[in-house]
Amino acid sequence: MSVELDVFVGNTTIMDKEVYQLWLNGYTVNDAVKVRIEGGVMEECEASAEVLLSDTMDQYRTFQMCERLLHHPAKLANQLLFQIPPDRQAMLIERYYAFDDSFVREVLGKKLSKGTKKDLDDVSTKTGITLKSCRRQFDNFKRVFKVVEELKGPLVENIRQHFLLPDQLARDYAAIVFFANNRFETGKKKLQYLTFQDFAFCAGQLINNWTLGAVDNMMEDMDVDLDKEFLQDLKDLKILITDKDLLDQHKSRVNNETSHPLSLVCNALRGKTNVFNEMEANFKNLSRGLVNIAAKLINAKDVRDFFIDLVEKFIEPCRSDKWTSIDMNLYLTHYTNSAHILDTFKHHAVWTRYMGVIKSCILRMYHD
Amino acid sequence: MPGKLKAKIVAGRHLPVMDRASDLTDAFVEVKFGNTTFKTDVYPKSLNPQWNSEWFKFEVDDEDLQDEPLQITVLDHDTYSANDAIGKVYIDIDPLLCSEAATVISGWLPIYDTIHGIRGEINVLVKVDLFNDLNRFRQSSCGVKFFCTTSIPRCYRAVMVHGFVEELVVNEDPEYQWIDRIRTPRASNEARQRLIFLMSGELQRKIGLKVLEMGGNAVVGYLQCFDLEGESGLVVRAIGTACTLEKISTFPATATHPNNSSPSKDMKEPGFGEEAPGVPLSSGPPTPLRAQTFSSFSPSKSYSRQSSSSDTELSLTPKTGMGSGGSAGKEAGPLKALLRQQTQSALEQREYPFFTLTAFPPGFLLHVGGVVSARSVKLLDRIHNPDEPETRDAWWEEIRQEIKSHAKALGCHAVVGYSESTSICEEVCILSASGTAAVLSSRFMQDGPLDTEHRFEEVVSPGCGFCHIPYDELNIPFPAQLTYCYCCRRYKVPDVLFTTIDLPTEANVTGKGCLIQARLCRTKKKAQGEGNATAISSLLPFLEYELHTQLMNKLKLRGMNALFGLRIQISVGETMLLGLASATGVYLTALPSPGGIQIAGKTPSDITYEQHISTMQKKINDTIDKNKELYEINPPEVVEEIIGSPIPEPRQRSRLFRSHSESSDEVSELDLSHGKKDAFVLEIDDTDAVEDIHALLTDSPTPAGFYSCNTEIMPGIQNWTSAIQMFTSVRVFRLNANLTNQGLNKIFSDLCENLLKSLYFKLRSMVPCCLCHLNFTVAIPEDELIQVAVTAVAMSFDKEQPLENGKQSGEKTLIKAITENDEQLQFNLELNAETSSHNPLSSPKGLSEVGSHLSARDRCSSWIEQLKLKAHTIRRGSVKTTSSLEKASPLPEGRSRSLRSNRSYSGSSVAVVKMTPLSFIPGAKIIKYLGIINMFFIRETSSLREEGGVSGFLHTFIAEVFAMVRAHVAALGGNAVVSYSMKECVFMENPNKNQAQCLINVSGDAVIFVRESELESTSVQTQSATTHTSNGGEGT
C-alpha cells in the first residue's frame, strides 16, 4: 500500500518560504522534513509527519519546476505557467541568488570554470554547505558573469536589470564578477581574515574609480576591466620613491602635518609617542610599498596580487606597530595630501585617483 | 454566408529551440478553420518571432462557427526535411458569437503540444463579423448564452425558466481506430482533442437550438461530460436548464441582484441610484432589498406592481408565519392545493421537469421532498449501433423516467439540483442520475397560471418553507418522523432532510455547517459481461444503503439535521466498487433537533462487554457535545419546549437503521443523555458494526480556524475577505491484493482524510478560512489503484462576525438584511486591517465578543464614512479607483509592501486571473459574462522518469491546464473564471515503459469582475498606503 501519486496545484502557486530555504540549502526531502518537524510546525497546525512529507515533496517539485525560470528572472514575470504574486516573485529571485559568505570567500577571484566547479566538493566539506547549494551558488555566479560580460553599461545596473536583484545583492554580484574577471588572489593565508564584504567594498571602490567606466561611461566593457591608461600612468608615481629629495621632503611634510601642534587629533597621536616614532621610522618603507604596488599594476600578474601586496606591504607593518584605524586614517590623509605640495611632483590627478582607492581599501581591510 | 472570422497572428515568445545548430527557431504559423488554411511568413532565427501578419479571413456558416474551433499551429520551417510542429492552440470562438459576451480574443496564448506540454506563447487577435440570419430553419443557435453556473448568473435576471435540455453525440474514438496503430501518439492525441472540440461545439449548438425552440435565450447549469467508452465510442453529453435571461441594466444603477445563492456580499452594496443610504438603518420595512429583488423578478405580464409590493410585506416579516400568519395559512390551504395542481399540470406537460440549478431566485423553490436517485448498469459491447446515439439516449431516458416517478412518489412535480454521471470499467457502464424532488412555484414557468396565487405562496416564511413536506403525511412514501416546523409551527417537517441543492440563502440555520463524507469500498469478483453486470447490480443497493447509513450516523454525530449538496459517486473497477458520498451538513432551525446515537449490545450478560459499550457510548456522546460546540449549534431551547408536547405523531424511530426493531422506546429514552429527542440506536452485534462505530469516531475534526463544505457557501460565515485560493489535488493510492472489505474501507477512508489534512496544512496561512465547494472525484484507473481528485477553493474570512447569535431565527434574517446593507466594503476594509494584527488562532469566543463591539462602533463610523463617500462619488461621477495590490493578492501572507519589487515588476505583462468553483467572487461584483470555457487536453509522455515521475508529470500538466484556462480568459478580456470545475481527470501510467497519459476536461464561466471597493469608494485610495494598478484593470 503506498501513495503512488500526490500532487497539489493552486491557481496561485503556494510556496512556503521556509521550505524554499531548505531546498536552496540543498537539503534532501527527508532532511527537510526532519528540520520542519524540529521547527514545530506540526504541533502548530495539527499535522502529521505524513502530511509534512507530502507537502515538502510537493513544494520541492514546484521549486524544481520554477528553477528553470529563475535562471532568467525576467521570464518569471511574464511566464504563464505559475501565477505568482510579484512580491513572491521578488522573494524567490532574491533568495535564489543569495549566497553564503563562507562559500563566496572560497571561490572569490577564481576562474569560474569547469575546473573550479569540480573542486566544489572540497569547498562543500570545508564550509559545511551542501554540494547542491554550492553548485547553485557557483552556477549563479557563472550565469551572471556570462550575461554581463557581454553587456555595455554600468556593471551593477546591468546585473540589477537582468536578474532583478535588489541593490545590495546586485553590488555583491558586481564584486564577484569583477574579482573573477581580474582573478584577484583572495585565498592566501594572509588574506583569510578578510570577509567577503571587505572585498566587495574594495571591488566597489575599484569599479567606481579605476575602471574605464569610471571616467567615461560611453565606453564598452568598461566596468569589468581596469583602465589601462591609468595603470600606465601609475608608473610615473615611482618618482616619489626613486627621487631621494622628493622622498625626504614628503616624509618631513607628513611628519610636520601629523605633528602640527594645532591639530587636536595630532596631539592625540603624538601622545602615543610610540606609534609616532614607529611611523617616522617606517615612512620610507611604507611609502615605497604603496608606490611600488602602483607601479606594478600594469602587469596582470601583479594585479592579481593587489590585495596580498596591500596586506604585506602596508597593513602588516602597521599592525605590528599597533596602529589604530584612526592613526591609519590620519596618516593616509596626510600622506596623500602632502604629496600635492611637493615642488617637483606633477602627477596630481593620478595620485588622487590612486590614493583615494588605496586609502579606503586599506581602511576597510585594516581590522584593529 | 452569415459570418466572417478574422484572425491575425502578431508574435510569439519563449519558443523552444528547434534547431540545435543555431539554438534558434525558424517559426511560422498555420491558421486553420474548417478546411481553409492560411500561413504566415517564416520568421527566421528567433525565439521571439514578430510575424505581425495580415488579417486572415474565413467566410463561413455560423453553424461551422459554433462547431469548429480555430486551430493555430506553430511550426519550425525546415528546408530539407518536413517542418516540425512546435505546438497548437485551439480557440473556441463561441464567446464571440454572442453579442453580450466577448467581442475580441486578443492576448498571449500558450502553445501546447500533447507530448511536450506548453512550448512558448503566441499572440493572436480574433474577431467575428456576424450577419443577421433570420432563417427559421437554421441549424445554428448563435447568441444562446451558456453558463456553467448552477444559479441565475449575477447581472442577469430570470424572466422565465423553461426547463430541462439535454443532448448526446457519439463518435468513434480516434484512439481505437485502426489507423492508431500506425500513427504517432501525437497525431492520435491531436485527433482526439480536435474531435472532442468539434463534438462539444456540435453539442452546444444542438442544445442551443432546443433552447431557441423553447423560447429561451440561455442555458444555465450547463453540464457537459465525456464518456470514454473505449471500443464502442466516445460520447459527449450535456444537460442544462433553459432560461430566458434579461441583463440587468448598466451596473452603477443596479440596486440589487436577483440572485440568492450568494452570501450576502452581493446584496450589500446599495447602488448609487438608491434614494438614501440611510434606509437600512430605519426600523421600518427592514429589507428594502428583498422587496426590490422580488419585484425585479416579476417582469412577466402576470404581475402587477401592487401584488409584488404586497408579497413584500408578507415576506418581510417572518413573524407573520407564527402569529397573524396562522389564519392566512389556513385560508391558503385549499387554494394552495389548487395552485399546486395547476403548477403540477404545467410541469407535467414537460417531458422531464428537471432543473440543473442548485440555487434559485427567491420564491421559486417552495418545498423540498428529498433526494431521488437512479442507477443502472449497462454493457457497452451490447450496443447494436455504436455510432448512433439512440441506444444511449434510450438508457438515459429510462433513468430519467425513474427519477421522475421517484419524485412523484414524494409528492413532488419537479427535480432540482439534477445531475447525471457515469462510471465505466471495460465494457460495464454504470449510469447514475440524482436530484432533489421539489415543489416549485409556477411564477417562472411559461405556462404559469393566475397572478393571484403567488401571494399565498409567499405566506410561507422563506426561512423554513422549503423544509415543509410536500407529500401527504398520511401517505408517507418512506418511514419518517414528522413534527411541526420549529419555525412557523404550522406545517409538518421531516426529522432529517437530504438534498442535492445548495443551502437556500434565506434558510434559517443554527450554527455553522461542515463537510460530511461517507466512504465505502466493496470487493467484487472479477467477472465478464453479463455476469459482471449482474454482480454489480446486486451490489449497488447495499452500497447505497451503507453510504446512507454512514451519512446519517455522521450527521447525527455532528448534531445536525440536514444535508445539502449531496453527491454520491459510485465508481466501478475490475475487483471493487467505490462509493463516495459528500455533502454539507447543517442544522436547520426548522427541523427537530437530532437525537444522539445510542449503542446497544446484543449480549447483555457479559460485564466487560457492557463496559466496552458504555465507554464507546461515552465517546460518542462526548464527540457530539464537542461537535455542537465546534459548529456553534445551540438550538433555541424555548422553541423546543413549546413545540415538544403538541406533537401528535406516534414516535417512530426507524429510518434505515440496522437494529431499529430491537430496542424499545422506554429503555432508550431513559438511557438518553442527548437532547430530548429519540436517539438512533446502533447495535453492535457483529464486528461490522464495531468497525462502523470506530470509523465514525476516527473522522478527525477540522483543525482550528478551518471550516469546510461542498456547497457554494458556508452558513454562518458572511464576511469573506478577497483572499481566495483555488486548487486541485490528485492522489493515487496503490492497494495490496487480497484485502477485506473492512481493510479496503479503512484505506479508502484514510486516503480521503489524509488528503483533507494535507489541504488544511497547505492552506494554513489563510486561516481563518473555509474550504468551499470541496468536490471529490474518485476513480479506479487500474485494478489496484484508487484515484481521488479534489478541486475546491479556500476563502479567508474575518473572524469578527457581526451577526453570530442564531437565537432568534426570525430576527436573524432581519438583522442580516440590515447588517448586509450597512456593512459595506468600507467596514470590511477596516476590519481587514484590524484582523491582520490579531492573532487569528486565539480563542474564538473572546474574539467574537470583541468583534461584536467593534462592529457596532464601526458600523456607525462606517456609516458616516459612507455618506461622505457617497457625496464624494456623486460629485466625481463614477471614478474608478485602483485597489491595493494587497487586496488583489490571493495569498494573504504575501502582503509585503516592498516598493522595490513593485518597481522591478511593473513591466509584467501577465494579468492575474482568479479561478473559483463558486459562482461568485467574494468582495467583488461580476459585471460581465464573457462566455463558457470548455477545454479538453491530452498529455502524454514517454519519458516519465525524466519528467519527475508520475507526480511530476501530473503536476506540470495540471499547472499547464490552469495556465491555458487563465490565458484564454485573459484573451477574452476577463479576469476570473467562476463555476470552474475539473470534470475529467483520467490518468493512465505504464511505469515499466516509462510512459503515462492523462486527459483533463475543465469548464467554467469567463467573467469580468470589479472589486466592490473600486465600484464604490474613492477614499479607499487615500486610506491604503499601497495603491497599485488593479488586477482587474490589467485584465481588461
Side-chain angles (χ1 to χ4, degrees):
Chain A
M1 273 159 288
S2 57
V3 174
E4 183 120 337
L5 180 158
D6 179 9
V7 296
F8 176 98
V9 190
N11 183 35
T12 303
T13 309
I14 292 184
M15 291 169 171
D16 187 303
K17 281 187 193 172
E18 189 205 347
V19 185
Y20 185 51
Q21 198 55 55
L22 293 171
W23 177 73
L24 289 174
N25 291 349
Y27 283 72
T28 62
V29 173
N30 288 330
D31 289 347
V33 169
K34 266 180 221 149
V35 174
R36 294 183 82 186
I37 290 174
E38 280 157 22
V41 75
M42 263 185 3
E43 291 76 40
E44 209 176 290
C45 314
E46 307 169 31
S48 65
E50 212 176 317
V51 165
L52 220 54
L53 177 67
S54 149
D55 179 62
T56 312
M57 296 250 271
D58 204 70
Q59 300 258 359
Y60 266 52
R61 205 160 44 231
T62 312
F63 300 140
Q64 266 151 29
M65 286 161 75
C66 277
E67 190 166 16
R68 155 184 84 78
L69 296 164
L70 285 165
H71 292 167
H72 311 277
K75 273 192 186 166
L76 195 65
N78 58 17
Q79 51 84 33
L80 301 177
L81 194 57
F82 300 104
Q83 190 158 273
I84 308 170
D87 59 304
R88 288 258 128 180
Q89 290 182 19
M91 184 278 289
L92 287 178
I93 296 169
E94 190 173 336
R95 295 215 182 170
Y96 191 78
Y97 282 90
F99 49 80
D100 292 301
D101 279 358
S102 57
F103 172 78
V104 74
R105 272 302 272 112
E106 293 299 318
V107 294
L108 193 65
K110 282 189 186 150
K111 202 173 170 190
L112 298 174
S113 63
K114 285 218 175 83
T116 317
K117 195 171 177 180
K118 269 184 200 147
D119 299 337
L120 284 183
D121 36 1
D122 294 340
V123 177
S124 169
T125 22
K126 190 174 168 195
T127 56
I129 299 164
T130 59
L131 185 58
K132 227 174 156 187
S133 179
C134 288
R135 292 218 170 107
R136 171 182 59 84
Q137 299 184 34
F138 183 81
D139 289 341
N140 282 344
F141 296 162
K142 201 170 167 181
R143 193 175 317 109
V144 174
F145 184 87
K146 280 219 160 157
V147 168
V148 293
E149 198 181 27
E150 310 291 322
L151 289 171
K152 304 174 182 181
L155 187 58
V156 177
E157 195 50 39
N158 279 340
I159 293 173
R160 196 162 50 200
Q161 275 182 7
H162 270 83
F163 292 92
L164 307 174
L165 298 178
D167 197 54
Q168 187 51 49
L169 199 52
R171 279 176 201 287
D172 288 350
Y173 267 93
I176 292 163
V177 168
F178 187 74
F179 268 69
N181 189 54
N182 292 292
R183 310 274 301 283
F184 287 111
E185 176 60 64
T186 64
K188 284 273 160 57
K189 209 173 175 190
K190 281 179 178 167
L191 294 176
Q192 281 310 313
Y193 77 100
L194 291 169
T195 67
F196 168 69
Q197 282 309 328
D198 293 335
F199 284 118
F201 174 83
C202 297
Q205 291 294 317
L206 265 67
I207 292 168
N208 287 334
N209 297 296
W210 286 5
T211 58
L212 260 181
V215 227
D216 178 4
N217 47 6
M218 296 309 287
M219 298 291 286
E220 288 181 30
D221 246 8
M222 6 157 275
D223 272 5
V224 194
D225 296 314
L226 294 173
D227 182 354
K228 282 267 147 58
E229 225 169 286
F230 166 67
L231 297 182
Q232 195 69 43
D233 291 347
L234 281 178
K235 282 212 268 188
D236 300 340
L237 297 179
K238 261 207 146 160
I239 192 158
L240 280 174
I241 45 168
T242 46
D243 189 322
K244 186 87 172 59
D245 274 0
L246 221 50
L247 186 63
D248 287 339
Q249 228 178 64
H250 196 181
K251 179 183 172 184
S252 58
R253 289 224 180 251
V254 172
N255 288 346
N256 282 344
E257 282 291 324
T258 38
S259 54
H260 197 279
L262 290 180
S263 162
L264 284 173
V265 192
C266 300
N267 282 338
L269 190 59
R270 198 177 316 152
K272 300 183 198 168
T273 37
N274 186 21
V275 173
F276 185 70
N277 290 338
E278 295 286 349
M279 194 195 293
E280 210 171 355
N282 273 340
F283 179 81
K284 278 186 188 170
N285 274 340
L286 293 177
S287 182
R288 207 170 273 144
L290 288 183
V291 175
N292 271 331
I293 292 172
K296 286 195 302 180
L297 276 178
I298 189 70
N299 308 317
K301 161 100 192 32
D302 292 306
V303 170
R304 288 183 199 176
D305 290 337
F306 177 67
F307 291 100
I308 190 94
D309 285 347
L310 276 186
V311 169
E312 281 177 351
K313 302 279 155 55
F314 196 89
I315 292 172
E316 282 187 339
C318 295
R319 193 185 289 142
S320 66
D321 291 346
K322 302 211 166 56
W323 288 25
T324 64
S325 302
I326 302 163
D327 301 340
M328 183 76 89
N329 191 1
L330 200 69
Y331 176 79
L332 284 171
T333 314
H334 292 307
Y335 176 73
T336 311
N337 293 344
S338 49
H340 289 297
I341 28 178
L342 298 176
D343 303 334
T344 47
F345 184 65
K346 299 283 181 294
H347 312 284
H348 296 300
V350 176
W351 178 249
T352 316
R353 192 173 170 190
Y354 176 70
M355 279 312 292
V357 170
I358 291 292
K359 185 184 153 196
S360 39
C361 285
I362 289 178
L363 285 177
R364 174 78 195 208
M365 291 162 69
Y366 191 75
H367 297 187
D368 284 325
Chain B
M1 182 60 44
K4 194 188 269 180
L5 171 67
K6 301 189 293 182
K8 184 185 171 101
I9 307 299
V10 185
R13 68 178 183 195
H14 306 152
L15 292 189
V17 170
M18 296 301 281
D19 181 2
R20 289 259 160 258
S22 65
D23 268 2
L24 289 166
T25 296
D26 305 319
F28 71 100
V29 181
E30 275 182 11
V31 187
K32 187 178 173 196
F33 189 83
N35 294 319
T36 320
T37 308
F38 293 102
K39 278 183 193 173
T40 67
D41 297 334
V42 174
Y43 194 93
K45 305 210 180 310
S46 171
L47 299 181
N48 299 293
Q50 304 288 319
W51 292 289
N52 228 333
S53 78
E54 55 184 305
W55 282 98
F56 300 121
K57 295 182 182 116
F58 302 88
E59 297 181 332
V60 277
D61 282 340
D62 49 358
E63 190 183 331
D64 290 339
L65 280 174
Q66 283 194 293
D67 286 6
E68 296 257 357
L70 179 68
Q71 186 181 317
I72 293 170
T73 313
V74 185
L75 299 112
D76 176 51
H77 175 76
D78 206 324
T79 326
Y80 304 108
S81 60
N83 298 327
D84 293 324
I86 296 172
K88 282 192 156 93
V89 182
Y90 291 100
I91 301 177
D92 181 10
I93 42 179
D94 216 49
L96 297 180
L97 303 180
C98 178
S99 54
E100 282 168 39
T103 52
V104 65
I105 293 172
S106 163
W108 289 102
L109 300 174
I111 302 167
Y112 181 73
D113 179 71
T114 59
I115 307 293
H116 294 104
I118 291 179
R119 303 175 97 188
E121 291 119 41
I122 187 168
N123 196 322
V124 293
L125 262 170
V126 183
K127 284 182 182 173
V128 173
D129 289 335
L130 210 58
F131 313 122
N132 267 337
D133 182 16
L134 298 172
N135 180 1
R136 283 186 62 83
F137 304 102
R138 61 181 184 170
Q139 286 299 301
S140 78
S141 53
C142 288
V144 174
K145 297 177 280 287
F146 284 80
F147 301 93
C148 293
T149 303
T150 56
S151 55
I152 302 302
R154 279 108 232 284
C155 80
Y156 284 97
R157 80 167 68 112
V159 176
M160 206 92 81
V161 180
H162 301 279
F164 190 60
V165 279
E166 49 80 31
E167 190 59 75
L168 180 151
V169 292
V170 188
N171 210 306
E172 213 180 328
D173 192 336
E175 187 108 333
Y176 293 87
Q177 282 165 341
W178 65 268
I179 194 167
D180 202 58
R181 288 159 201 265
I182 52 167
R183 66 179 166 193
T184 62
R186 176 182 282 123
S188 164
N189 290 339
E190 279 172 6
R192 230 171 161 193
Q193 278 191 169
R194 197 181 126 73
L195 177 72
I196 286 185
F197 251 109
L198 275 170
M199 285 169 77
S200 28
E202 184 191 341
L203 194 74
Q204 222 168 306
R205 173 172 59 81
K206 285 186 170 168
I207 288 214
L209 277 173
K210 288 189 175 175
V211 172
L212 290 176
E213 238 166 71
M214 292 166 103
N217 64 3
V219 183
V220 180
Y222 185 67
L223 175 73
Q224 186 191 285
C225 294
F226 299 94
D227 296 332
L228 302 168
E229 291 183 351
E231 293 287 343
S232 62
L234 200 161
V235 175
V236 185
R237 58 193 162 78
I239 54 175
T241 307
C243 294
T244 303
L245 298 184
E246 193 177 272
K247 194 152 170 72
I248 296 168
S249 50
T250 51
F251 70 87
T254 354
T256 53
H257 304 263
N259 55 67
N260 59 352
S261 62
S262 85
S264 61
K265 278 274 172 177
D266 260 10
M267 313 245 287
K268 276 187 182 176
E269 26 171 355
F272 296 123
E274 231 178 331
E275 323 128 55
V279 167
L281 262 190
S282 72
S283 56
T287 51
L289 284 180
R290 190 172 291 282
Q292 287 183 5
T293 319
F294 273 76
S295 56
S296 71
F297 259 105
S298 48
S300 59
K301 52 237 161 252
S302 52
Y303 294 94
S304 68
R305 274 256 139 226
Q306 253 175 331
S307 67
S308 67
S309 69
S310 76
D311 76 41
T312 311
E313 263 166 48
L314 287 166
S315 67
L316 280 185
T317 43
K319 274 171 198 146
T320 42
M322 298 178 178
S324 62
S327 60
K330 272 171 210 153
E331 218 177 293
L335 250 170
K336 198 173 156 187
L338 186 82
L339 110 228
R340 187 177 288 174
Q341 274 169 11
Q342 281 173 334
T343 346
Q344 200 157 343
S345 66
L347 271 167
E348 263 162 13
Q349 285 162 13
R350 289 157 217 268
E351 195 181 5
Y352 301 113
F354 297 169
F355 300 86
T356 53
L357 300 178
T358 57
F360 309 89
F364 191 50
L365 182 72
L366 297 183
H367 306 295
V368 171
V371 171
V372 285
S373 73
R375 280 177 221 285
S376 86
V377 183
K378 298 289 178 193
L379 284 170
L380 295 171
D381 51 1
R382 301 295 157 85
I383 303 174
H384 283 305
N385 203 349
D387 296 343
E388 296 300 323
E390 275 79 17
T391 317
R392 282 94 165 181
D393 274 335
W395 289 350
W396 285 112
E397 199 153 316
E398 217 172 84
I399 284 198
R400 288 173 192 145
Q401 284 298 347
E402 202 177 326
I403 290 274
K404 197 176 164 183
S405 65
H406 284 333
K408 206 174 268 173
L410 282 172
C412 297
H413 55 233
V415 176
V416 293
Y418 179 74
S419 66
E420 294 175 348
S421 62
T422 58
S423 170
I424 296 171
C425 175
E426 301 294 322
E427 74 288 341
V428 176
C429 174
I430 301 182
L431 309 181
S432 315
S434 72
T436 305
V439 176
L440 300 176
S441 148
S442 60
R443 57 160 41 177
F444 295 102
M445 311 279 186
Q446 203 157 13
D447 23 19
L450 316 164
D451 58 329
T452 47
E453 43 121 340
H454 70 278
R455 195 191 301 169
F456 300 107
E457 287 169 15
E458 291 313 327
V459 171
V460 178
S461 144
C464 65
F466 71 94
C467 308
H468 303 160
I469 52 161
Y471 37 83
D472 185 354
E473 61 182 280
L474 297 173
N475 199 5
I476 307 174
F478 48 82
Q481 185 183 321
L482 299 179
T483 48
Y484 278 105
C485 174
Y486 278 54
C487 280
C488 66
R489 277 179 276 163
R490 288 186 300 127
Y491 299 102
K492 294 281 176 67
V493 292
D495 52 348
V496 181
L497 189 63
F498 283 15
T499 74
T500 57
I501 56 169
D502 271 332
L503 180 71
T505 18
E506 65 269 19
N508 293 331
V509 175
T510 304
K512 295 199 168 66
C514 75
L515 179 79
I516 293 179
Q517 278 192 327
R519 303 143 185 153
L520 209 61
C521 243
R522 279 287 168 267
T523 49
K524 167 185 95 63
K525 286 229 166 63
K526 230 177 191 160
Q528 295 287 311
E530 202 103 25
N532 196 17
T534 323
I536 294 170
S537 302
S538 56
L539 266 175
L540 279 177
F542 293 99
L543 209 62
E544 288 208 59
Y545 171 83
E546 285 196 35
L547 282 173
H548 191 273
T549 312
Q550 246 188 62
L551 278 177
M552 191 67 95
N553 286 337
K554 289 189 177 178
L555 186 68
K556 300 276 165 203
L557 197 67
R558 285 171 177 80
M560 297 173 182
N561 58 19
L563 287 180
F564 286 89
L566 176 64
R567 196 164 158 272
I568 299 179
Q569 207 200 343
I570 288 182
S571 199
V572 59
E574 293 237 330
T575 56
M576 63 177 158
L577 283 173
L578 271 185
L580 179 68
S582 313
T584 301
V586 293
Y587 186 101
L588 283 178
T589 319
L591 265 47
S593 168
I597 298 171
Q598 202 214 345
I599 300 171
K602 234 186 175 177
T603 43
S605 53
D606 194 345
I607 292 174
T608 49
Y609 189 63
E610 292 264 281
Q611 269 175 342
H612 174 65
I613 286 176
S614 67
T615 47
M616 206 113 83
Q617 179 73 59
K618 194 174 176 304
K619 254 191 202 165
I620 288 182
N621 292 350
D622 289 349
T623 315
I624 294 178
D625 283 338
K626 229 182 277 165
N627 279 329
K628 280 191 173 171
E629 199 177 312
L630 182 65
Y631 301 113
E632 295 160 38
I633 299 170
N634 33 5
E637 292 288 328
V638 208
V639 183
E640 198 161 13
E641 274 164 33
I642 302 167
I643 217 88
S645 46
I647 295 173
E649 238 66 33
R651 301 207 167 176
Q652 190 185 4
R653 116 179 28 101
S654 60
R655 292 192 55 186
L656 282 172
F657 272 79
R658 187 166 292 174
S659 55
H660 47 82
S661 53
E662 301 281 325
S663 61
S664 89
D665 275 17
E666 286 163 62
V667 176
S668 69
E669 271 181 17
L670 283 174
D671 287 357
L672 277 188
S673 52
H674 266 278
K676 286 152 184 101
K677 312 261 17 153
D678 292 16
F680 282 80
V681 181
L682 271 180
E683 187 169 293
I684 321 177
D685 48 359
D686 50 24
T687 43
D688 235 29
V690 178
E691 286 293 323
D692 280 359
I693 292 166
H694 275 300
L696 209 58
L697 291 167
T698 48
D699 267 14
S700 46
T702 51
F706 274 107
Y707 291 96
S708 58
C709 63
N710 75 334
T711 47
E712 286 251 313
I713 46 157
M714 178 71 163
I717 299 179
Q718 261 93 31
N719 30 1
W720 303 108
T721 68
S722 59
I724 64 169
Q725 167 71 281
M726 190 282 293
F727 59 85
T728 291
S729 185
V730 182
R731 277 194 188 180
V732 175
F733 204 81
R734 185 172 288 282
L735 304 166
N736 282 350
N738 304 325
L739 277 164
T740 58
N741 275 341
Q742 269 133 35
L744 275 174
N745 269 347
K746 173 117 181 42
I747 288 166
F748 182 41
S749 190
D750 286 350
L751 177 59
C752 294
E753 281 291 315
N754 287 339
L755 185 51
L756 279 170
K757 274 185 207 157
S758 276
L759 298 182
Y760 295 135
F761 182 74
K762 281 260 181 215
L763 299 159
R764 63 192 184 282
S765 64
M766 292 186 74
V767 159
C769 99
C770 179
L771 302 190
C772 293
H773 217 283
L774 264 171
N775 190 0
F776 277 69
T777 5
V778 290
I780 307 172
E782 261 174 61
D783 219 3
E784 275 151 14
L785 295 183
I786 297 181
Q787 177 190 319
V788 181
V790 189
T791 297
V793 63
M795 305 209 290
S796 296
F797 59 90
D798 284 335
K799 199 118 199 175
E800 280 79 2
Q801 293 266 347
L803 30 112
E804 236 341 276
N805 29 15
K807 286 257 156 144
Q808 295 290 306
S809 50
E811 271 174 41
K812 191 183 154 196
T813 36
L814 292 188
I815 297 167
K816 200 193 280 180
I818 294 170
T819 38
E820 272 163 18
N821 275 328
D822 58 4
E823 274 147 35
Q824 302 295 327
L825 19 116
Q826 195 67 31
F827 179 33
N828 272 335
L829 282 177
E830 282 166 10
L831 269 190
N832 256 353
E834 268 163 277
T835 31
S836 56
S837 62
H838 280 309
N839 178 7
L841 288 171
S842 60
S843 121
K845 272 193 182 159
L847 262 183
S848 65
E849 265 171 51
V850 175
S852 60
H853 289 303
L854 257 181
S855 64
R857 180 169 50 77
D858 274 25
R859 207 181 297 161
C860 292
S861 66
S862 76
W863 261 109
I864 297 160
E865 277 290 327
Q866 212 181 305
L867 281 169
K868 280 189 210 155
L869 220 154
K870 219 153 244 184
H872 198 67
T873 2
I874 290 165
R875 239 182 291 127
R876 300 253 310 249
S878 59
V879 183
K880 267 201 185 175
T881 51
T882 54
S883 76
S884 68
L885 184 73
E886 183 186 314
K887 290 262 107 193
S889 138
L891 274 180
E893 62 183 72
R895 285 180 182 168
S896 107
R897 319 185 171 202
S898 137
L899 282 168
R900 176 180 44 74
S901 68
N902 274 330
R903 193 196 40 195
S904 43
Y905 290 99
S906 55
S908 161
S909 57
V910 183
V912 173
V913 175
K914 297 214 169 200
M915 292 167 78
T916 173
L918 306 180
S919 64
F920 66 98
I921 291 164
K925 191 179 163 181
I926 294 169
I927 55 164
K928 194 171 184 182
Y929 281 81
L930 298 164
I932 201 166
I933 295 282
N934 190 356
M935 296 171 116
F936 178 84
F937 298 103
I938 301 177
R939 181 85 146 79
E940 190 168 339
T941 184
S942 49
S943 51
L944 190 58
R945 272 187 295 276
E946 294 76 0
E947 293 194 39
V950 282
S951 295
F953 171 71
L954 194 64
H955 193 140
T956 316
F957 186 36
I958 294 175
E960 284 173 339
V961 170
F962 283 6
M964 287 185 277
V965 169
R966 287 194 300 258
H968 280 260
V969 170
L972 285 169
N975 56 7
V977 191
V978 295
S979 299
Y980 168 84
S981 72
M982 180 180 280
K983 282 186 299 210
E984 207 84 57
C985 179
V986 184
F987 179 76
M988 287 159 288
E989 55 166 328
N990 190 341
N992 298 332
K993 283 189 176 171
N994 206 15
Q995 284 174 342
Q997 191 193 36
C998 187
L999 292 77
I1000 286 183
N1001 174 220
V1002 294
S1003 66
D1005 294 326
V1007 299
I1008 303 176
F1009 73 87
V1010 183
R1011 290 249 158 261
E1012 277 172 1
S1013 46
E1014 288 169 51
L1015 271 177
E1016 286 274 337
S1017 70
T1018 43
S1019 62
V1020 175
Q1021 206 170 17
T1022 48
Q1023 278 176 0
S1024 76
T1026 49
T1027 48
H1028 307 282
T1029 3
S1030 78
N1031 296 316
E1034 279 168 35
T1036 43

